Amino acid sequence: DAKTTQPNSMESNEEEPVHLPCNHSTISGTDYIHWYRQLPSQGPEYVIHGLTSNVNNRMASLAIAEDRKSSTLILHRATLRDAAVYYCILRNTGNQFYFGTGTSLTVIP
Amino acid sequence: NAGVMQNPRHLVRRRGQEARLRCSPVKGHSHVYWYRQLPEEGLKFMVYLQKENIIDESGMPKERFSAEFPKEGPSILRIQQVVRGDSAAYFCASSEGFGGPADTQYFGPGTRLTVL
């Protein structure tokens, strides 16, 4: 699976939107982009995934660049419960997810 | 709907003892994955199992570690003769599909193993 690059940490004020970037310049045409998050002392939690088109669900939105070399996870209104490590993962074939070190999001009250 | 269940949540073992970690997947899921997370690091894949079969154990250490997913009952990750370096959080995930690129894995809360 191709590699992703994310900032180590980001901060956001509570109730403001958060844009979490992910670069994946070596993405292939069949790679899906998955986002998971991990709250402190918990297992990873599925957030959203997509292939080419932007995706929305109750938790977040995923904006995928036209060339697919980058994507952005959008939390529309950050809450304190959104403080977590966010992982951007590419998935093609194989049986596993490759987790990097992710982006640690701090939400400021 | 019950999610992925793992027990125990915390396990303390002395060096040389055995650790047995259990994972019950989401009801109806027949694919189980085990990951290990060392402090301040991301999760690392260990093994992928279907009922009664090991499909991919490429991330599993060659010695002391074994995994099973019997026809009945939970998946078990066994670590024999534990050493301090085995101290980590061990996460189990399950999925309905068999690892296609759109497949979603659902994770349990983890077992935190401490080796004294």
Side-chain angles (χ1 to χ4, degrees):
Chain A
D1 289 306
K3 188 174 178 177
T4 63
T5 304
Q6 300 177 251
N8 288 333
S9 62
M10 291 185 64
E11 286 186 351
S12 173
N13 293 320
E14 194 176 10
E15 298 191 5
E16 290 189 356
V18 182
H19 291 234
L20 297 164
C22 181
N23 288 320
H24 28 78
S25 57
T26 59
I27 192 170
S28 72
T30 52
D31 280 333
Y32 275 76
I33 302 161
H34 291 252
W35 283 82
Y36 280 73
R37 71 180 186 182
Q38 187 174 22
L39 280 66
S41 300
Q42 295 189 27
E45 174 187 29
Y46 168 77
V47 178
I48 201 166
H49 76 281
L51 182 61
T52 56
S53 303
N54 294 343
V55 183
N56 299 295
N57 66 21
R58 64 175 180 81
M59 289 182 69
S61 296
L62 176 59
I64 301 172
E66 195 169 334
D67 64 5
R68 301 211 322 127
K69 293 184 184 299
S70 65
S71 61
T72 302
L73 178 70
I74 302 166
L75 306 179
H76 296 287
R77 285 180 72 240
T79 70
L80 296 178
R81 288 177 294 179
D82 291 322
V85 177
Y86 287 79
Y87 297 98
C88 168
I89 303 165
L90 298 185
R91 187 76 182 282
N92 187 348
T93 58
N95 306 309
Q96 55 184 283
F97 283 110
Y98 288 93
F99 287 83
T101 51
T103 297
S104 178
L105 175 65
T106 300
V107 179
I108 302 168
Chain B
N1 286 329
V4 176
M5 311 280 284
Q6 290 189 250
N7 66 81
R9 294 292 305 277
H10 300 274
L11 182 62
V12 178
R13 286 287 177 267
R14 297 190 181 280
R15 281 179 297 171
Q17 290 184 320
E18 178 180 282
R20 288 169 66 89
L21 288 62
R22 287 176 290 277
C23 168
S24 296
V26 172
K27 187 175 181 180
H29 286 188
S30 58
H31 305 264
V32 165
Y33 312 79
W34 286 93
Y35 293 79
R36 176 166 64 175
Q37 186 174 33
L38 296 172
E40 308 302 321
E41 294 187 11
L43 281 74
K44 297 287 194 301
F45 168 80
M46 299 180 74
V47 62
Y48 161 44
L49 310 102
Q50 293 179 29
K51 285 285 188 181
E52 300 184 274
N53 290 303
I54 296 175
I55 307 302
D56 180 355
E57 55 182 349
S58 58
M60 191 96 96
K62 293 287 187 283
E63 297 178 354
R64 302 188 297 108
F65 286 73
S66 62
E68 62 178 13
F69 189 15
K71 187 177 180 181
E72 301 291 337
S75 175
I76 306 287
L77 179 68
R78 180 188 301 173
I79 311 172
Q80 295 178 302
Q81 299 176 322
V82 296
V83 300
R84 289 218 173 106
D86 297 331
S87 295
Y90 291 83
F91 293 96
C92 169
S94 74
S95 70
E96 187 175 11
F98 70 101
D103 194 30
T104 297
Q105 294 185 7
Y106 297 89
F107 286 80
T111 293
R112 278 149 186 83
L113 172 65
T114 301
V115 179
L116 301 177

